[in-house]
Amino acid sequence: MRAGADGALDVLHPLIMLVRGLARLTMLVLRWWAKAPKDRRGPVLFLAAVGVMVVGLLPWGPAFAVAVVVGTAAWHGREGARPAGGPGCEDAENERLQAVYEALVPCFALRDDPGPEPLYAHDGAWERAFEEVEFTDDGRIGRLLVRYPAHFPDSDSAHRLAVERRLTTKSGRDREYRFAWHEERNLLEMTVPQPLPQGISAQRFVTGPGEIVLGFTDAEAVHRRMPVADGGRARDVPPVVWRTGARSAQPHLLVAGAPGAGSTTLLRSVVLQALQHGEVLVVDGGGSGEFASLAGREGVLAVETSPAGAVASLEWAVHETERRLSAASRARQAGRPVPEDVRRPLWVVLDRPATLSHLARAEGRRDPQELLQVPLRHGRAAQVTVAVAEHLENADGLARAVRSYTRARVLLGAASPEETWAVLGEATVSRPGPDAPPGRGFARLGAGAVLRLQVPAAPDPLDDAAGEAERQAVLALLPPFAAAHARALGGQAAQSGAPDGPGHRPGTKPGAASQAT
């Protein structure tokens, strides 16, 4: 019987390959149709109808079209699920799959299963449990479709995380995996995603007012494509766009990450984009001078590093938020347009506020995070946006208002399931691989899906250790110095003979925010 079945499979293999390819092509079309915007569907249908008419009018058009479809289906169906013990399944691959199956038995098996042939048992085989298997060229699992029993609590994040950990361990810890749970059909799909776009420097992204590019993600995760310059050539990449403003459901941002994961780099990228349409107030709680290149620039109200200056700056932000609310309310009551100075976006950017709060309490000053409550609560109506970045080990030092009102979240670097849940509200997220570059992580906007994220390269332009090309890209995006600051720099340069320009580190005095405002 076994030999007859193998012979039948060999004879029918071309037909099976064509059917599998046609099924995959159909799924690709259906997925595109489901994700495509409605305004694109009509033109595509029209072009498809025109193409069918043109092919039908050609002498050998229908035969050529059939040959193209058959060839495309054969190409897409050349790799697929391999039957148990089939000729295409090597012994090493069988052993690998059996090891994965045995690792999943404690998760899915019942101690006293009443079924005659349980799906998962200690003496079972992987053929009944794994619906589809695909291997990479080096013999490792590239895609696995697992069927699990109906009694498994797939709505419990702890149980799901245990299964994903076992699959990751048995399939290789040096890669990143994506897990898709299909609860309706009791199926779990594990795939190895393609690498994210890397090495893209900060630049003028094609966005509208109120749109901020946090980074780039998988092609199938978002509908939008954005042209970027990458190494002197143009390419289209899928961006993660965060929308701010009065109509945004996620008006404020929280970035959490391990040290060196790129949280400050992401804040710098956000600031460079925000300066195109608004004004920015920066508070550097770490005091490392990462934002010193912004001091004195047009649109930058202040760059504060001390507790006294941070308190003064945030007190001004509170009064400015209240002033904007009052001015907008009076204008609407009188039937007049909202004043321009109220509609101009104001950004309050804080890097490592937990450290600054600790220093302020040690000096007997007011906690700067307490002053964020008014901009966080009423910022959307007043066109005030707050962006906060903090290290994971200091995340418990964030104020309650910061954790409550920042609904746009970014997690960078490796994190534990508990830390992932605290930041993203989702624990079953695979960690980046060990070779992941800085700026790799995940983003979640509100209650949306968790997206893989690669932050654009935006290093400190005053850091000599950074790449020269990336530093020059950031310098090109910096606005010019304000008139008063430029005159001060010119006077200092004339006295000291130091060259003036973007490479000169400007000095800032504590409390400059109150003076600038």
Side-chain angles (χ1 to χ4, degrees):
M1 293 292 294
R2 187 72 179 183
D6 292 342
L9 288 176
D10 291 339
V11 173
L12 297 177
H13 180 70
L15 180 60
I16 295 174
M17 182 176 60
L18 291 178
V19 172
R20 186 166 57 233
L22 289 174
R24 291 181 177 178
L25 290 176
T26 303
M27 290 301 299
L28 288 176
V29 173
L30 293 178
R31 289 176 184 173
W32 180 89
W33 183 264
K35 295 181 179 180
K38 294 183 179 180
D39 56 348
R40 292 186 181 181
R41 296 178 180 178
V44 170
L45 284 178
F46 175 76
L47 292 177
V50 171
V52 170
M53 291 179 57
V54 171
V55 171
L57 294 175
L58 294 176
W60 297 96
F64 179 74
V66 171
V68 170
V69 171
V70 170
T72 305
W75 176 262
H76 282 272
R78 70 191 187 279
E79 296 178 356
R82 298 175 180 176
C89 195
E90 301 294 338
D91 293 339
E93 296 174 355
N94 274 320
E95 293 177 1
R96 184 184 292 271
L97 294 174
Q98 186 64 29
V100 174
Y101 173 83
E102 293 175 356
L104 295 177
V105 168
C107 298
F108 292 141
L110 286 177
R111 177 174 299 178
D112 299 323
D113 197 332
E117 296 182 1
L119 190 61
Y120 287 88
H122 290 286
D123 56 349
W126 64 266
E127 288 83 350
R128 294 182 60 242
F130 298 164
E131 297 282 339
E132 296 181 8
V133 180
E134 294 181 8
F135 286 90
T136 59
D137 296 336
D138 55 355
R140 306 178 69 183
I141 298 176
R143 178 176 176 270
L144 182 63
L145 186 62
V146 179
R147 177 171 296 279
Y148 57 89
H151 62 74
F152 177 74
D154 51 12
S155 60
D156 189 344
S157 60
H159 286 81
R160 292 169 60 164
L161 183 61
V163 173
E164 294 178 3
R165 281 180 171 177
R166 291 177 181 267
L167 286 173
T168 301
T169 302
K170 293 300 180 181
S171 302
R173 296 178 180 269
D174 59 336
R175 297 185 298 174
E176 188 174 351
Y177 299 91
R178 180 188 293 117
F179 297 95
W181 290 82
H182 306 283
E183 294 90 346
E184 308 89 356
R185 298 182 294 162
N186 294 331
L187 293 176
L188 168 61
E189 183 180 16
M190 182 189 73
T191 55
V192 179
Q194 296 295 324
L196 293 180
Q198 300 179 10
I200 300 177
S201 302
Q203 54 193 274
R204 295 294 183 201
F205 299 113
V206 183
T207 57
E211 291 185 344
I212 300 296
V213 177
L214 299 178
F216 311 101
T217 185
D218 298 290
E220 64 273 11
V222 295
H223 305 304
R224 188 169 177 175
R225 297 294 181 272
M226 179 176 294
V228 298
D230 182 13
R233 61 185 182 91
R235 56 183 297 198
D236 292 339
V237 295
V240 178
V241 178
W242 169 41
R243 293 175 176 83
T244 63
R247 292 180 173 84
S248 173
Q250 306 88 28
H252 307 296
L253 173 69
L254 173 62
V255 182
S263 57
T264 302
T265 297
L266 177 55
L267 277 192
R268 188 180 297 107
S269 175
V270 169
V271 169
L272 293 175
Q273 298 177 65
L275 286 173
Q276 299 181 50
H277 306 286
E279 298 174 328
V280 178
L281 172 63
V282 180
V283 177
D284 183 8
S288 57
E290 290 283 344
F291 298 92
S293 60
L294 297 171
R297 303 279 180 172
E298 292 184 0
V300 180
L301 301 179
V303 178
E304 295 294 346
T305 58
S306 64
V311 171
S313 300
L314 295 179
E315 285 179 349
W316 174 86
V318 171
H319 297 318
E320 176 65 11
T321 303
E322 295 171 346
R323 183 196 70 81
R324 288 175 173 232
L325 289 174
S326 300
S329 177
R330 290 193 300 267
R332 294 189 182 98
Q333 291 177 4
R336 300 192 304 269
V338 178
E340 177 65 25
D341 63 332
V342 176
R343 290 188 286 110
R344 182 171 175 79
L346 172 63
W347 288 73
V348 180
V349 179
L350 290 90
D351 189 19
R352 301 187 64 185
T355 302
L356 197 64
S357 297
H358 176 76
L359 293 176
R361 289 192 296 268
E363 297 178 5
R365 300 181 182 275
R366 187 177 182 182
D367 189 351
Q369 294 191 66
E370 295 180 2
L371 298 169
L372 288 177
Q373 294 187 18
V374 173
L376 286 170
R377 290 179 178 177
H378 308 290
R380 178 167 55 183
Q383 294 292 330
V384 178
T385 302
V386 179
V388 180
E390 187 54 81
H391 289 168
L392 284 172
E393 60 264 25
N394 298 328
D396 55 351
L398 293 175
R400 181 178 179 180
V402 175
R403 297 194 302 266
S404 300
Y405 290 97
T406 51
R407 301 190 68 244
R409 300 291 183 91
V410 173
L411 175 64
L412 300 177
S416 65
E418 294 77 16
E419 293 171 336
T420 304
W421 174 266
V423 177
L424 301 177
E426 179 66 46
T428 56
V429 176
S430 61
R431 303 172 64 178
D435 298 330
R440 269 289 288 112
F442 301 91
R444 190 178 192 187
L445 303 179
V450 177
L451 305 175
R452 294 203 305 156
L453 181 72
Q454 177 62 53
V455 175
D460 181 9
L462 304 179
D463 183 9
D464 297 335
E468 182 64 23
E470 290 79 5
R471 291 176 60 241
Q472 293 300 325
V474 174
L475 285 173
L477 296 177
L478 289 175
F481 285 108
H485 195 83
R487 288 194 299 269
L489 285 180
Q492 294 176 4
Q495 296 176 5
S496 61
D500 190 12
H504 178 61
R505 183 184 293 271
T508 56
K509 295 183 296 182
S514 57
Q515 300 174 7
T517 55

